[in-house]
Amino acid sequence: MIRVLYFASLRERLGATAETLSDQPETVGVLRSVLAARGDAWKTAFSGDQPVLAAVNQEMANDDTALGDGDEVGFFPPVTGG
Amino acid sequence: MSIEVRVQATPLDALAEIAAVSGDDRGVGGVVSFIGLMRDLNQGDEVAAMTLEHYPGMTERALDRIVEEANERWDLLGVRLVHRVGEVRPTEPIVVVVVAAAHRGEAFRACEFIIDFLKTRAPFWKLEQKTDGTQRWVDSRSSDDDAAAGWSTS
């Protein structure tokens, strides 16, 4: 089971703040495909056209980062602080 | 040496943060500060206010890590990094970075490093509320990526 959080403009485009998935995909890359397969806004967001960054357990991650039971994944646009 | 990293929803007093770092360490020869302010003009549109979103937990850790890295690269005597979240109005400070060192070279470089890395690695997102009532998410800037990339790893 993993928890997935969505931030900022991505959250608005998807209409989703957070969810729990009962299985965990092997990697972040696989998770992106699972989400894209939902179609519509999910497909647009996770198709790779716009940059969507990922963090696993609050550390920046890439597509190869493995996922384990209980992990927290965050997806968000490029950051704009400062 | 004192390191303080903070994210806060209440208004920032930049001068108080600077004064706190200057303190009474007699080894400090130089204090350098950066204050990032909210501008009321972006891409030709007037901005009434801005909301700063963050990723609670990850944001603080990312800021801690950036300051740790600065402290490893340069010989520093004090660092303070304070960043706003929530609603900010034009001309209000969004971020304050203060660095104290024995000499000015380290203080200048560490201060610039911290703000350059914060702009590309710290999870914050700015949402502008324009004077016409609409909202717009601020885009990231390639110049920020260039600035961060400009710091070598050696």
Side-chain angles (χ1 to χ4, degrees):
Chain A
M1 183 156 73
I2 59 171
R3 187 126 177 89
V4 188
L5 310 177
Y6 307 101
F7 292 89
S9 57
L10 180 66
R11 179 191 60 245
E12 288 184 354
R13 277 184 276 142
L14 298 176
T17 303
E19 62 181 304
T20 303
L21 297 186
S22 50
D23 352 271
Q24 71 262 357
E26 273 180 7
T27 64
V28 169
V30 174
L31 173 57
R32 284 185 198 260
S33 310
V34 166
L35 297 174
R38 295 176 177 179
D40 299 322
W42 296 87
K43 183 171 174 204
T44 311
F46 289 101
S47 64
D49 287 345
Q50 302 139 357
V52 174
L53 306 182
V56 175
N57 297 329
Q58 304 187 356
E59 302 276 353
M60 288 305 302
N62 57 39
D63 280 358
D64 298 328
T65 305
L67 297 176
D69 191 30
D71 279 351
E72 173 177 296
V73 182
F75 285 112
F76 40 83
V79 303
T80 57
Chain B
M1 79 153 284
S2 151
I3 292 183
E4 184 164 330
V5 175
R6 203 160 77 236
V7 166
Q8 66 185 57
T10 50
L12 258 176
D13 181 344
L15 295 184
E17 303 293 348
I18 294 168
V21 175
S22 309
D24 30 36
D25 180 345
R26 295 195 290 173
V28 172
V31 177
V32 173
S33 65
F34 170 79
I35 303 170
L37 303 165
M38 195 208 139
R39 291 184 291 144
D40 66 357
L41 189 65
N42 191 19
Q43 294 178 39
D45 295 323
E46 281 187 28
V47 185
M50 171 185 284
T51 303
L52 280 155
E53 180 174 338
H54 74 304
Y55 184 165
M58 183 177 177
T59 300
E60 293 83 344
R61 282 167 63 158
L63 295 177
D64 283 342
R65 180 121 355 99
I66 291 166
V67 169
E68 264 170 44
E69 190 166 347
N71 198 28
E72 280 161 22
R73 288 187 180 221
W74 293 284
D75 200 3
L76 306 178
L77 296 176
V79 183
R80 185 169 284 218
L81 165 50
V82 187
H83 200 295
R84 282 294 315 277
V85 291
E87 186 173 286
V88 180
R89 308 232 145 221
T91 75
E92 286 181 357
I94 294 172
V95 61
V96 181
V97 180
V98 192
V99 179
H103 303 289
R104 70 188 185 285
E106 288 98 334
F108 273 113
R109 283 193 287 276
C111 187
E112 190 170 10
F113 173 92
I114 289 168
I115 185 64
D116 283 351
F117 271 60
L118 182 161
K119 281 192 153 295
T120 54
R121 292 195 186 170
F124 294 102
W125 301 275
K126 289 173 177 167
L127 177 63
E128 290 173 337
Q129 276 95 47
K130 301 198 286 174
T131 50
D132 67 7
T134 60
Q135 296 189 329
R136 175 178 62 202
W137 289 98
V138 172
D139 286 325
S140 61
R141 296 164 59 152
S142 57
S143 56
D144 288 335
D145 293 319
D146 295 341
W151 293 94
S152 69
T153 51
S154 58

